[in-house]
Amino acid sequence: MKRRKVLTGVGAAAGIGGVIWFANSQSQSSTGTGGPGLDETEGSGEDAETMEPKEIDLLDAPGSPGGTIDVPIEGEITVLDSFATWCASCEPQMDELNDAHDVIGDDATFVSISNEAIGGNVKRSDIVDWWADHDGDWYVGLEKQGNVTRELRISAIPFIAVFDENRKIRWTHQGVTSADKLTETVESLL
Amino acid sequence: MLNRRQYLATTATGVVAISGCVDQADSNNGSNTEEETDVGPFLEPPDHSIDPENVDFPVYGQELPDVTMTEALRGQEMSTAGFDQITMMTFVFAFCQSVCPRLTSTLQNIQTESINAGFGDEMAFVETTFDPERDTPDKLQQHTETYNVNMEADNWYIFRPDSPDRAKEVVQDTFGVTFVKTQPEDMDMYMFDHTGLILLANKHGVVERAYLNTRPVWQDIFEDVETLVEVHP
């Protein structure tokens, strides 16, 4: 199965960041590092796995009109960012995403998603506030039933996936991604 | 919250002296009818059963180890096997930046969702730190705030072994969760490589599920919790 192959490759790059647990979904003895995840994989061109569209419950927030959107977006390059309001590393990631968003402009559609349960100390308005505080200005929403996290096997955030116009997973990265790397990745798909 | 089984465990071992109640607690303890109770497991065996021979942590059908330690948020001695509620347990350190955030947030999301679903008071959420040197009670309090834990629900606990040696004894030797100190080149502080484990135990302290490596999304774990709440006698 190609998806497994691609995503196993994420863990196989563990030498960089030591996140060996990601690779070993079958292993019962694998461990994970407490350090920042620095895993990365590039899909292999036309062979990359596609992701079926997943509905995102959009927030009414800066750059985001509410309603729903399906990701990845058919016919567009999609930059998908998974974050949470408790995630400290997601703050510098927002700076990088902002810079990349400014450069990339209309060449790709950015969608940030959270898989947080809403209730108690986390209300929708708390996520909107976090978004506004970190200058988000594109689609932002909530996953439904963890469908994206499950399919992309996201184990740590921030996590970014770049999809081509045919919904193929062309690049993923766990841990903070630089604006330059993100821009270069999107440009390589144009 | 000091529930019945915690009360019995702590008084019976004499760790907590509640004035005037020790004799009574002992006699209650002697006359309970625990042996007649069906202690489970109540869920069907997991699809991908972990072979108990290959792992050191407790799995489906096994009892949670019973260790008495300081619960750092309340500053009192409690037993890891003493909860009357359905218990979700994990092992973390507060400075962790990759694996543990997912573990803690999984428990926190399930705490929120169980309260939303109306059975929050049937749940206990239990973390144990293996970094007692840096995870002071204040740091652990801050950890609950970082992860938006609902402390008003009074069902979140953090055990803190009183020394690194005790942490090895409890977390690694007793619970089978391995951890090794590391010094990442790009960081100015130590971290740990460690097993990413979440245990789901029933109200009798019998493990119903062991989730490894942060694999299931919290929604899938929550489905197991809902089923357990439903079928639990």
Side-chain angles (χ1 to χ4, degrees), chain B residues 3 14 17 36 38 41 48 51 78 86 128 133 139 146 187 201-202 207 227:
Chain B
N3 59 42
E36 292 169 21
D38 177 7
H48 303 289
D51 183 353
M78 294 184 78
I86 290 169
T128 299
E133 284 181 293
K139 178 71 187 172
T146 299
M187 302 188 79
N202 67 31
V207 173
T227 305

Side-chain angles (χ1 to χ4, degrees), chain A residues 77-96:
Chain A
I77 294 170
T78 306
V79 175
L80 182 76
D81 156 57
S82 176
F83 76 100
T85 56
W86 48 258
C87 167
S89 307
C90 296
E91 299 178 9
Q93 183 64 80
M94 282 298 287
D95 295 337
E96 300 298 326

